[in-house]
Structure formats: C-alpha cells, structure tokens
Amino acid sequence: MAENIRLEVVTPEKSVVSEAAQIVMAPGTLGEFGVLSGHTPFLTTLKTGSLKYKDETGRERFVFLSGGFAEALPDRVTVLAESAERRVDIDIERAKAAAERAEKRMQSGSTDTDFIRAKAALLRAISRIQLAETR
Ligand code: ATP
C-alpha cells in the first residue's frame, strides 16, 4: 500500500489539520489537484473552496479554505490559508447571516472596493453553506 503523507493546514490564527493522509485534493487557482505520496514538489495558490482528504483509516474529511497557498512535497502537503475550518466546525447560521450581509453590501456598496470585498465574503459564505450541507 502507498505511504501516507503529512497534511498541515494552518491559518494566521490556528492549526486546523495536522495528520497523516492517504490522499489530499485541494482547490488550486488553476484547477483542483490531488497529491499522493511521492508527488513531484510544487507550489500553488488556492481558491476559496473545499479541501478533501482521506485520513489514515481511509475516511473522507473536508475542510473549508478561503484562499491561500499550498506546497506539495513528496511526503507532505502544507496549506497556508487566510481562514479555514473543518466541515464539522462550520456554523451554517453564521454563514447564512454573512451571506445576507454581503448581499446587502453588494447592493449598497459605495465604492468598487466595498463591492469586491462583499463579493469575496459572499463567496466564502456560499462555499461554507454548500460544504456544510453535504454532511
Ligand atoms: P463572518 O462575517 O461570519 O466572520 P467571514 O467570511 O468574514 O465570516 P473569515 O474571515 O473567513 O470569516 O474567518 C474568520 C474566522 O472565523 C476564522 O477562524 C474562520 O474559521 C471562522 N469562521 C468564519 N465563518 C465561520 C462559520 N460559518 N463557521 C465556523 N467558523 C467560521
């Protein structure tokens, strides 16, 4: 059987995942990619979306990511995300409230910056809701 890789997902606030994984699938800006043990090293930016991995028992696990960077090495994947939480930790009501706030801001935003920020917040909220609702 193939060797496991080490998966680390960290944000500026906390370590979200630090465990062995059989495979990691992550939302790269150029498309979703998968990493198994022995992968050629690469570095990529990430989109807002969900990272999926199989833990060492083969169970699928999901983590929300709001952009950032990933480094893949033959025995390790390190994700530095702006924010991240495991699917089980997603608060759906909070995400729904964030989506509503963002929609209001997009309608009333006074500057382009307000609009772009609100759109990014809406995308985070929708991604969280979608991921949490697949539980
Ligand atoms: P909000 O407006 O609700 O804070 P946000 O998209 O602006 O949402 P982020 O900046 O992405 O929030 O995240 C800030 C912190 O709050 C991070 O630690 C993140 O994991 C956590 N977080 C944000 N939204 C949720 C949620 N719906 N459920 C669980 N944790 C969340």
Side-chain angles (χ1 to χ4, degrees):
M1 209 170 90
E3 305 236 332
N4 287 338
I5 46 179
R6 186 86 201 159
L7 173 63
E8 301 281 345
V9 179
V10 297
T11 73
E13 295 171 337
K14 60 194 179 213
S15 165
V16 178
V17 179
S18 177
E19 67 176 280
Q22 295 179 354
I23 183 171
V24 177
M25 308 283 297
T29 42
L30 298 175
E32 186 168 64
F33 60 88
V35 181
L36 289 164
S37 170
H39 202 290
T40 308
F42 72 97
L43 193 60
T44 182
T45 48
L46 297 169
K47 288 194 287 206
T48 291
S50 54
L51 174 147
K52 181 164 91 174
Y53 67 97
K54 278 192 184 168
D55 69 14
E56 57 187 344
T57 69
R59 195 158 165 192
E60 283 196 327
R61 306 274 178 190
F62 297 84
V63 181
F64 166 82
L65 297 179
S66 74
F69 297 88
E71 179 192 46
L73 295 174
D75 62 348
R76 165 178 301 265
V77 175
T78 306
V79 171
L80 306 175
E82 285 151 30
S83 64
E85 66 274 344
R86 288 177 177 273
R87 180 173 69 177
V88 290
D89 293 325
I90 294 176
D91 175 342
I92 298 190
E93 292 313 313
R94 174 173 168 178
K96 286 184 177 163
E100 256 180 53
R101 273 198 313 277
E103 275 169 348
K104 281 193 190 126
R105 277 194 206 120
M106 285 169 74
Q107 283 154 13
S108 66
S110 52
T111 65
D112 288 352
T113 315
D114 291 342
F115 186 85
I116 291 165
R117 283 181 59 179
K119 201 171 155 194
L122 180 61
L123 180 61
R124 290 195 299 277
I126 290 172
S127 300
R128 283 181 167 121
I129 294 164
Q130 281 175 344
L131 181 57
E133 285 183 345
T134 60
R135 273 201 286 243

